Amino acid sequence: MNNSCVISSLLDNDFYKFTMQNAVLKLFPSAKAKYKFINRGKHLFPKNFSNILKENINEMANLKLSSEERNYLEKYCPYLDTTYLDFLNKYKFNPNEVNIHQYGQNIFMEIEGLWHRTILWEVPILAIISELYYKLTGTKTNRISDDIIKIITKNKINKYKNLKVKVGEYGTRRRFSYKVQKLVLKILIENGNKFFIGSSNVHFSHIFSTIPLGTKGHEWIMFHAAKYGFKIADKIAMKNWLYIYSGNLDIALSDTYTSYIFFKNFNKKLSNIFSGIRHDSGDPISFIKKAINHYEKFGINPKKKKIVFSDNLDPYKVEYISSFCKNKINSCFGIGTNFTNDVGLPIMNIVIKMIKTSFKKKWISVVKLSNIEKKSTGEKNMIFLAKKILHL
């Protein structure tokens, strides 16, 4: 694979980006967004890295939805309506929305434009950065062989089968490479039986004829906080989601402004309608207890609900969490880099987060608080203000 084709399909992206794009188009078509690259792992990038990254991003302007890909979406994702698919048919990435600079060994990047356009950049850009980093730093040659990756992946899925837990693959954004992700998925599908439930990557879901996994991300709720206020962001974001998807894609995201605030917004009606909740930060056992108490308070049987766990998982964490959930509440697990970047090298810790939004010609800073401090994002003064308003 040469430097200019890490991303070869418009659908090489997480499914929740498309579901959110559809909702944004319908409800907030004129809203704008700014995103920022955050190098949490303080990785040092080699000389000329930004130029090769720009080449890749420029190449993405040539991607377009094929008729075969559209047919796949119509068949496997019926809740994405014709209006949206017509939009996606005409959609083209615009590299002018992405601003990249390199100073020494540090990369700085911001993305800016209409929210419904810029929403698709995050995941493929992170995948490009990750793949190029291993390639250009020379560490790629030190990775374990494909044969060993096959054995490791097979052992993992066998362990999940023995535990009788359902797992999905969520690892596009920090994969070692396109090739490794495809290899891992092939092993998971061949060996997973009913316990491997699919991938969040729409392109690979198309290749393997499976239903893509995902609903919405934190930015959906962060935007609602900027527009409607921190206290009711979760509730309005959920109601707007139901308006677009009528009870499909019905997993609620629970930690944008801490789970404490989420459960305050998650009233009896919403708790009944949504089939479950996603845990993405903080102590999972404490969260399970809170979720069960919450459902029981409303007279809802927790055994008819589920928690989707997606916070930095590996086989040991999955065993620990699933055993605690047993006979109390249903569980399933979205596993990211432990599937797609377990190649014997240090894993990158990089993210791209929405930092500002604009819906009345004025930019407003957005924040995510999360259940743990290190996963919070946004300007310090805005984080302070959010915590003050929410009495956290």
Side-chain angles (χ1 to χ4, degrees), residues 27-282:
L27 298 177
F28 312 109
S30 59
K32 291 181 178 177
K34 274 186 193 177
Y35 298 83
K36 185 179 182 182
F37 171 67
I38 303 166
N39 183 2
R40 282 180 179 162
K42 297 184 167 50
H43 308 285
L44 299 175
F45 294 94
K47 191 179 177 183
N48 212 32
F49 187 92
S50 63
N51 291 332
I52 297 167
L53 177 58
K54 282 175 190 172
E55 283 174 26
N56 270 271
I57 286 167
N58 290 337
E59 283 289 320
M60 286 176 67
N62 300 317
L63 299 175
K64 66 191 295 281
L65 193 72
S66 71
S67 54
E68 194 188 333
E69 287 172 330
R70 176 168 178 146
N71 292 340
Y72 162 78
L73 292 173
E74 285 173 346
K75 182 179 177 183
Y76 286 83
C77 313
Y79 25 75
L80 297 178
D81 62 12
T82 305
T83 315
Y84 172 65
L85 295 181
D86 288 345
F87 165 82
L88 205 58
N89 252 128
K90 297 186 182 82
Y91 181 87
K92 288 274 187 90
F93 281 105
N94 178 3
N96 292 329
E97 293 165 347
V98 186
N99 193 1
I100 305 166
H101 297 287
Q102 180 166 356
Y103 298 105
Q105 293 179 290
N106 297 310
I107 296 290
F108 299 88
M109 183 195 318
E110 286 199 350
I111 301 161
E112 182 182 327
L114 285 166
W115 188 22
H116 70 257
R117 287 201 41 80
T118 53
I119 200 166
L120 293 190
W121 279 116
E122 175 194 346
V123 176
I125 286 180
L126 287 172
I128 293 168
I129 291 172
S130 186
E131 182 155 349
L132 288 180
Y133 176 81
Y134 292 110
K135 191 172 187 177
L136 298 173
T137 54
T139 51
K140 187 174 180 177
T141 51
N142 301 327
R143 80 163 172 95
I144 57 176
S145 69
D146 284 1
D147 287 339
I148 296 173
I149 289 171
K150 287 178 188 175
I151 293 165
I152 288 170
T153 307
K154 200 169 179 181
N155 288 341
K156 283 176 189 170
I157 195 61
N158 285 338
K159 183 173 176 86
Y160 296 137
K161 274 161 48 180
N162 292 336
L163 290 170
K164 293 185 167 54
V165 297
K166 292 187 173 178
V167 297
E169 180 274 307
Y170 282 28
T172 301
R173 69 190 61 218
R174 286 184 287 269
R175 66 192 182 196
F176 177 79
S177 68
Y178 174 93
K179 185 185 162 200
V180 164
Q181 186 175 14
K182 189 176 183 181
L183 175 67
V184 165
L185 269 168
K186 188 170 182 287
I187 301 300
L188 292 172
I189 289 165
E190 285 173 355
N191 297 277
N193 300 342
K194 62 186 178 185
F195 295 102
F196 180 67
I197 55 174
S199 171
S200 64
N201 185 297
V202 189
H203 167 64
F204 287 125
S205 299
H206 171 221
I207 286 175
F208 293 110
S209 299
T210 58
I211 297 169
L213 305 177
T215 54
K216 58 187 170 297
H218 295 98
E219 67 186 279
W220 177 251
I221 301 150
M222 289 157 73
F223 171 84
H224 281 76
K227 192 165 174 66
Y228 303 105
F230 294 110
K231 288 183 177 178
I232 53 169
D234 280 306
K235 189 181 290 179
I236 299 178
M238 282 186 272
K239 285 181 175 179
N240 277 338
W241 197 255
L242 290 173
Y243 176 74
I244 298 296
Y245 291 110
S246 310
N248 291 302
L249 307 172
D250 58 346
I251 297 293
L253 182 54
S254 66
D255 70 331
T256 314
Y257 297 107
T258 74
S259 298
Y260 170 72
I261 298 299
F262 167 78
F263 283 122
K264 278 184 153 187
N265 279 270
F266 201 40
N267 60 27
K268 185 173 183 177
K269 185 179 179 182
L270 292 169
S271 297
N272 269 302
I273 294 170
F274 279 84
S275 66
I277 44 187
R278 178 153 78 94
H279 170 269
D280 196 50
S281 64

Side-chain angles (χ1 to χ4, degrees), residues 355-356 364-367 377-385:
I355 55 165
K356 288 186 178 180
I364 298 171
S365 294
V366 297
V367 297
T377 59
E379 293 177 0
K380 283 182 181 175
N381 61 337
M382 205 63 168
I383 289 173
F384 177 80
L385 179 66

